[in-house]
Amino acid sequence: MSKGIEYTLFALFTVFIVIVIQLWIHRFVKKKLSLSLFQTAPRLTVSFYIIVVVLLFGGMIYINYLEKEEYKEYEGAASSLARVLAADLTSMHHERLNERTNENDETYVRILQMMERWQNDHPEILSIYTLKKNERGEHCFVVVSTADDHRDGKIDEKRGQRVPIGTVYRAYIPELEQAFQGKFAMEKSPAKDEWGESISAFMPVFRQNGTVDAVLGIDYDARMYLERLEKERQKGMLISFLVFLVWEAIYLLGIYMQIERKLFERHKQELEVSENRFKRFSEITTEGIIIHSDGKVIEANTAACRLLGYVENELIHMPIQDLMISKSLKKIEHDDRQEGIYEIQLRRKDGTVFPAEVVQREYDYDGRKVNVTAIRDITERKRHEERIDYIVNHDDLTGLLNKEALHHAIAEKIQEAFYRQEEVAIMFLEISGMKTINDFYGYSVGDQVLLQIVEEWKKRSNEDILLGRWSGNEFVAILSGSTKEKAKNVANQFIEIADEPVVVEGRELYVTIKIGISIYPKDGVDPKTLIRKADIARYKLRQKSASQFLFFEEPMTRVIQEKIAMERELRRALEKGEFVLYYQPQIQLDTGMVTGMEALIRWNHPEKGLISPYAFISVAEQTGMIIPINEWVIRMACRQTKQLLKDFPNLSVSVNLSPYEFENRRFVHKLTKILEETGLPPHHLDLEITERMTMDTERAITILNRLKSIGVTISMDDFGTGYSSLSYLTDLPIDRLKIDRSFVRNIQGKKEAILPSIIRLGHNIGVKVLAEGVETEAEVAYLKDKHCDEAQGYYFAQPLSYEELIIFLHEHRYRELHA
């Protein structure tokens, strides 16, 4: 398609779009306002047409600019190629050739081959040739490559044509003359011949002295050139059209805003006219209004008829009691008030009952008493209230009663049992193992496990059993009309369900259940007491591995109270700084040097004096206090060891880890922060774990690797008394084995053969071995003989306070120097 036709189509299409949109917007405005476009927005419409004309002419200019830029780019590429080729011709002595040159001339053959190679490498080139002027001033061909007649970038030797040397080039081309004057020139537009369209570029070929020897001509396939021009033209048209569409959208938006403004003004005027007319009717159209006297309807508005399903004639003279159900009617009759707001139930014509809120007022009307009642349907409000009540009183996951609702339910069951002289059993159920499931598989899987167990409980429970969820994995069951035997049967039933494997996402998961049971009225007469005592009985079972149930007994309270008191004292001790650290030195046996020390906590009670950790650590672990206590131990040990490093740079401190910290995901982050705060280099801190912590070997290896990554060392404490598999011992990233004291005490007994084996095992896997509880010289001699690396015990020093430790270290160094 020619350039002119494309320009014409573009202009016509743009004008067509303008006309179509204008006709559509004119009809739209006419429909909305009964006005023309010029009446609605005269300035905007005139501006639109002016800018459309500007955009149309501007688009033509922009398209023409893109075409010129494309020509310049094409000309530049042709110039670069021609310049390289002309330089090659000069270097190959083209000046030796003329119109009389023989085709077998060596220079001619080399130049021809070079031209044909260039032509083959550039499919867009139809032919390459050189021209010189003869004695008559005519342009003669000197070297001409075979023409690409098929315009496919390939030379067909049979059909291709090569112009003979000396053929006169008779066509007058201004660009050719410019080239003979020493300037590169390219045709402004393609020329057409019998083979199609081509566009030629001419580059002067200079002699060694700088004068023009000949002109290099390159005929390009105009098809490719015209395709590039057409792409640029289409690109320019598209951009121009998009700009036009944007302006059209702005214009339409402006028209729409004018329409809305005029409509608003019109509606405002109409509203002001009709406002007074409808004002007196607004109140009675929002709610149903019924006027009744002597128990019969006198008048009713349309809203009341619609609400009750009657036409006005049916309601007039109808007894008011026919519209209300009997319970609601009795409620109003027994109410001393003649006026007020009531929530009652009304009956429609089709018999359906719905809740309604009525406002009733009594007036004097023509000497008699009449009641005016406004009716509002509150069905949706009641549904919403019921939904809120359900949310408030039920657990969102299981749908069971929540903690608050359980208290009310137990109180109601106790009240019923009091009148019937019956017992009520309160069962406190804890599903154990949920933490492991949540940690390993995620909380969604844990929720599915709880839901499946609860569903089974619901299926097998009768109407005398009421279930509720107390907290995460804790539930409460209320057994009405219960006896101890009945409670046992229900508890066994719950245990049987919980002990069955739960299948979630193809995995068989196992949990256990602990059930504590209290009985009304033996164990209490109020919900809080019964729940607390059932919880105490359940707490007594926490250390049991299997599912069990237990009835509450009074002695359990004393044990719990002691633990609660101990927990309270532990918190106070931590807040008031009553804990202190004692250190037991660790000695390198072959040199006698102090290489480290084990940090041991003591409780300096203000009344009971120094308390051993054996008296309070178990309570701390059960109550969760072990985590803040151990954090204090690590921080204090790091701080005091950092101070000792000034005089004893090779000293390290060992701290016992509890299983709670070992499995805590945030422990590594917490430990890193403590080391940064205290300034203790990580390799001076040794963390002691027990074999029990490594029973899940793969998990233990992951945790230990995270600890090792921050630079601390790891020791396995009480080695030989646990359950770790020796086959996995080499996989654990530990630095030291600490032999339990029971093996050291029995070096002359049955365990005598075990101690050397442990020492050899440690050395074979590349870790140090330390013996604990060394108390005699004979034990020291034996351990040295068996090549044990280190030892600690009363033979060297008992646990020392920080001040005593400093004195011990200085005295020990003094003895070493003088020894």
Side-chain angles (χ1 to χ4, degrees), residues 243 592 657 751 788 806:
V243 173
L657 280 190
K751 295 184 179 181
C788 184
I806 296 174

Side-chain angles (χ1 to χ4, degrees), residues 506-523:
R507 305 185 187 93
E508 285 192 356
L509 304 174
Y510 293 86
V511 296
T512 57
I513 185 172
K514 311 294 186 300
I515 305 174
I517 308 172
S518 62
I519 303 292
Y520 164 85
K522 179 178 76 70
D523 298 322

